[in-house]
Structures are given as C-alpha cells and as structure tokens.
Amino acid sequence: MLDIQKIRAEFPILSQTVNGKPLVYFDNGATSQKPQIVIDAIAKYYQEINANIHRGVHTLSQLATDAYEISRGKVQHHINAKFAHEVLFTSGTTHGINLVTNGFASILKPGDEVIVSSLEHHSNIVPWQMLCEKTGAVLRVIPINEDGELIMEAYESLLSEKTKVVTVNHISNALGIINPIKYIIEKAHAVGAAVLIDGAQAVPHLKPDVQDLDCDFYAFSGHKMCGPTGTGILYGKEAWLNKLPPYQGGGEMIKEVTFEKTTYADLPHKFEAGTPNIAGGIVLGTAIDYLNTVGFENIQKQEEELLAHATKSLLEIEGLKIYGTGKNKASVVSFNIDGIHPYDIGSIIDKLGIAVRTGHHCAQPIMNFFCIPGTIRASFSFYNTKEEIDLMVEAVKKAKTMLS
Ligand SMILES: *Cc1c(COP(=O)(O)O)cnc(C)c1O
C-alpha cells in the first residue's frame, strides 16, 4: 500500500490553504500537481547545464544534449516504442495532434474519411475538422450510449475502404470512460486506416505499450503526469513519421539549406524545428521516473478506491446524477444536481477550498448529447484521499442547500 501522507508531503502545493481552508485539489484532469523532485530538477537544469542542444561542441551544450536525449530514451522505454527516434518532443497533446493532421493534409483526397469519436476533447476534433476542410475529406463520428460508452457496432459500420484515419482518446477527459482502443485499432487496421490515440488522460494512470496496442500515433502531455507545462510527446511509427512532411520549418530540422532546395534532417529532428523546451523535456523524464517509483499498480489501486468511494458517497445526495456510468472508468466523476447550474456549485465549493472543474471540459458534443450545459468534474490523483472526498461531498451538500 502507498503511504499517502508521505506522498502528499512530496507535493508542496498540497499543504496550502485556499480561501482559508485546506486545499482539496480535484482538478487533476486539467493538470496535475508537481512533486518537489520535479520542481527541483527544473532549477537544477538552469543552475548547472543550461545551454542550447545539438548545436555546440562546448561542454555545457553536450551535457544539455545528453540529458535531453536520455529523457527521450526514458519515454521510449516507458511507452515501449521500438526506436528512440519515434518519440518526438512536443509542447503537449494539442501540438502532437496538429503535427499529424498537418502531415495528413498532403495525403488525404476528397471523399476520404476520417473517423473521430463523440467523446473527444476539442483538441482532437478541431484539427481534424480543419484537415477535412482543407482536403475535402469527410468527418465521421462514433456515437455514444447513455452510459457514455462508444457504440462499437456503430463504429464498425462506419469503417470502409474510404476510412484513412481513425482517432479516439484512450480515456475520456469529461467522463473518465476508458475506451477499448486495442479493438478499435485492430478494426481500423483491417481496412488500412491509420490510428492516432489521444493519450492525454491515460498517461497519469497507466503505462501505455504502443507496440502492443499497435497504434500509429500516440499523443500526450507532460503536465497531466506530474511534469512541467509546455511539454508533451508524440509517438509515431517510424514508417509514418518518414512519410509525413515536416510540421514547422526552421533550425535544427534540416540537413542542408540552399535557396534552391532544403533537405530535411533524419527523425526525430525533422519534426523538432527551433529551440525546444529543453528544461521541460529533460524534467518530463524526471516526472516519469517519479511515477514509476510510486508504481502504476499502486497508483491504479489508490485511484480505484477513490473512484468507488466518491461514486458511492455522491450518489447518496438526492437529485445527483453521474455522467459516464460505463464499467471501465478512470478516477473521474462528472456530475450534476437537478435544477442547479454546475458553475454555481463549483463557485460555492471553491470558497470551501475545493478545486473542481465546471463547464463543458472542452468536450461540448458530450454535453449536447446529454442535453446539459456542463458538469462538475472531480478528477482524482493517487495523492488524493478519501477524507478529501468526504470534504467535497459535505461541501456539495452545503451548496445544494444554499441553492435550492
Ligand atoms: C488535456 C487534454 C488534451 C489537450 O492537452 P493540452 O496539454 O492542452 O495540449 C487533449 N485531449 C485530452 C483527452 C485531454 O484531456
């Protein structure tokens, strides 16, 4: 079992008070908090080895380059990519997805089809819409059922030889539903389509194995997994990354530049134009080490207990409805109380020190499906406790009394 109090002591922000109350941080789906070891590693980089990478022969530049490439290797092993050069540093999930959609602009033809799901974050909808507008490809959408699960029969009936790309999130940010991505990938490959998985919500809870999943692309952000903001990873199969054109032109991504013709650098540099977030990339490796030290089995066990406790306690409140009632779920509870706007509850419980997200969670199509303006979303991390959940439940009850 995890020693939660010891773990909490590693996150300095958790011992703060907010509005005079102990902070209860349940907005982990938006961004996670950072342990001291991650905070220290950022300072250490600037204090000791700050220099630009891949450019200089001087010692600091070599130290920074080595640290950056060691971090890439850590990510490679963490997600079980075949090659380190299949791991691209990005600024986050959004950047990774746009890198791929930009590449597909030169591949898709009018009438080709792209399949997305109704459970997607706007980051994994809008870039594909832009791509379809540019190319004349058609966007198809996998519907969900009342439990917030993707309807697999509907997905399979959308697939055809016209399908060129399928994209779906591993775990839904708005509802916490875990999607059957291995099955989705297998079915897409059977019609020759490429698959991008949006792993932003999955990587804080589990260790994806990109070779076992056999996905073509897997995008995620560092800041939701205890790493710094402005960091992320796009995994892509070597063959696809060689096929796609570069996303941005600039320094670092070229072999040779003349005004007649420029040849591009080999992977991964072809997709890493300009000076990246060097400190962030290095420290993302520190965050991954940290999570592995805590252990993903321990993380999942703790989060499952929190989810069960929150679900049970919240449902005791009359008029409370949880959205996303499918069986396979991560530690997210999205709910509303009959007749009360989610924002009003969020504002009142904030005064009591409780941080939840209210609104559409960048997933308006889901809210439209349930005919609601939004939900209150409590998303738990392994450093949260049942006592914190009890505080939230009490606060929600108080808010309900005040508002009804
Ligand atoms: C947070 C999130 C994103 C966007 O991540 P950024 O870090 O803002 O780029 C995309 N998809 C899902 C499922 C998310 O939860």
Side-chain angles (χ1 to χ4, degrees):
M1 267 316 283
L2 289 180
D3 181 347
I4 302 297
Q5 290 314 322
K6 183 166 164 276
I7 283 177
R8 288 179 67 79
E10 292 167 352
F11 289 78
I13 207 169
L14 296 179
S15 54
Q16 270 193 71
T17 53
V18 167
N19 297 321
K21 307 279 182 201
L23 168 66
V24 173
Y25 186 77
F26 285 162
D27 198 15
N28 296 288
T31 199
S32 74
Q33 296 303 347
K34 322 300 172 198
Q36 191 66 50
I37 195 172
V38 163
I39 299 168
D40 288 345
I42 295 171
K44 192 172 155 70
Y45 166 80
Y46 287 111
Q47 284 162 359
E48 294 178 5
I49 60 167
N50 175 53
N52 212 330
I53 53 171
H54 305 131
R55 288 171 215 262
V57 291
H58 66 82
T59 303
L60 285 189
S61 173
Q62 281 171 11
L63 287 173
T65 303
D66 288 350
Y68 199 64
E69 292 308 318
I70 286 171
S71 180
R72 193 192 304 275
K74 279 181 191 172
V75 177
Q76 178 203 349
H77 293 297
H78 185 70
I79 64 174
N80 192 31
K82 196 164 175 193
F83 306 111
H85 61 250
E86 293 177 318
V87 172
L88 310 180
F89 282 111
T90 63
S91 65
T93 308
T94 306
H95 176 185
I97 294 169
N98 277 276
L99 187 158
V100 175
T101 57
N102 177 77
F104 270 91
S106 61
I107 293 175
L108 295 191
K109 304 270 175 300
D112 284 346
E113 295 185 357
V114 174
I115 298 180
V116 302
S117 97
S118 308
L119 278 182
E120 298 313 301
H121 188 284
H122 295 164
S123 283
N124 202 30
I125 299 175
V126 183
W128 298 104
Q129 282 176 323
M130 289 162 64
L131 171 65
C132 287
E133 235 165 70
K134 218 184 278 178
T135 58
V138 181
L139 198 71
R140 301 269 182 224
V141 185
I142 313 170
I144 51 174
N145 63 24
E146 283 294 326
D147 288 322
E149 298 165 313
L150 296 178
I151 303 173
M152 281 300 113
E153 302 77 53
Y155 166 55
E156 285 171 51
S157 68
L158 288 175
L159 287 167
S160 74
E161 73 285 354
K162 286 192 223 156
T163 314
K164 293 295 178 276
V165 192
V166 173
T167 184
V168 49
N169 58 38
H170 195 163
I171 298 182
S172 152
N173 61 302
L175 306 179
I177 296 289
I178 303 173
N179 289 313
I181 56 168
K182 202 166 170 180
Y183 183 77
I184 291 172
I185 293 163
E186 197 181 295
K187 291 288 165 188
H189 283 168
V191 297
V195 184
L196 180 145
I197 301 296
D198 170 353
Q201 290 295 331
V203 288
H205 310 292
L206 55 87
K207 219 171 134 146
D209 181 330
V210 292
Q211 288 191 74
D212 177 59
L213 290 170
D214 198 28
C215 53
D216 301 285
F217 304 97
Y218 194 100
F220 59 96
S221 301
H223 70 94
K224 293 180 181 176
M225 57 185 311
C226 295
T229 52
T231 65
I233 296 293
L234 175 71
Y235 159 81
K237 276 187 190 162
E238 181 187 56
W240 271 114
L241 294 182
N242 279 328
K243 195 166 168 183
L244 297 188
Y247 181 37
Q248 292 182 313
E252 210 50 62
M253 53 75 74
I254 48 87
K255 256 196 188 115
E256 192 174 11
V257 177
T258 66
F259 283 108
E260 287 68 44
K261 182 160 176 59
T262 289
T263 49
Y264 304 129
D266 293 331
L267 296 175
H269 308 295
K270 173 179 151 188
F271 290 104
E272 294 182 347
T275 301
N277 180 354
I278 302 169
I282 293 170
V283 177
L284 176 53
T286 311
I288 287 176
D289 286 344
Y290 174 78
L291 288 174
N292 280 314
T293 306
V294 177
F296 279 89
E297 266 178 38
N298 294 328
I299 289 173
Q300 279 164 25
K301 192 153 176 283
Q302 169 71 2
E303 291 176 350
E304 273 163 24
E305 282 181 19
L306 294 173
L307 175 66
H309 184 66
T311 306
K312 182 172 165 286
S313 318
L314 282 169
L315 285 176
E316 283 165 10
I317 300 175
E318 216 188 289
L320 187 142
K321 180 174 155 86
I322 291 178
Y323 300 90
T325 41
K327 268 206 197 79
N328 224 347
K329 261 188 84 167
S331 50
V332 173
V333 207
S334 223
F335 62 94
N336 269 332
I337 295 179
D338 233 3
I340 304 178
H341 198 283
Y343 177 84
D344 295 335
I345 294 191
S347 309
I348 291 178
I349 70 174
D350 172 56
K351 297 276 180 295
L352 301 168
I354 293 154
V356 292
R357 176 100 184 255
T358 63
H360 55 60
H361 318 298
C362 300
Q364 277 180 348
I366 304 178
M367 305 303 138
N368 295 343
F369 174 82
F370 288 113
C371 301
I372 49 175
T375 68
I376 301 149
R377 182 189 70 181
S379 47
F380 311 119
S381 177
F382 57 92
Y383 47 68
N384 290 127
T385 64
K386 287 185 185 167
E387 291 71 34
E388 288 182 299
I389 288 172
D390 295 341
L391 287 174
M392 174 184 73
V393 171
E394 282 318 303
V396 170
K397 282 182 187 162
K398 213 178 254 179
K400 185 189 166 200
T401 313
M402 286 169 69
L403 293 164
S404 49

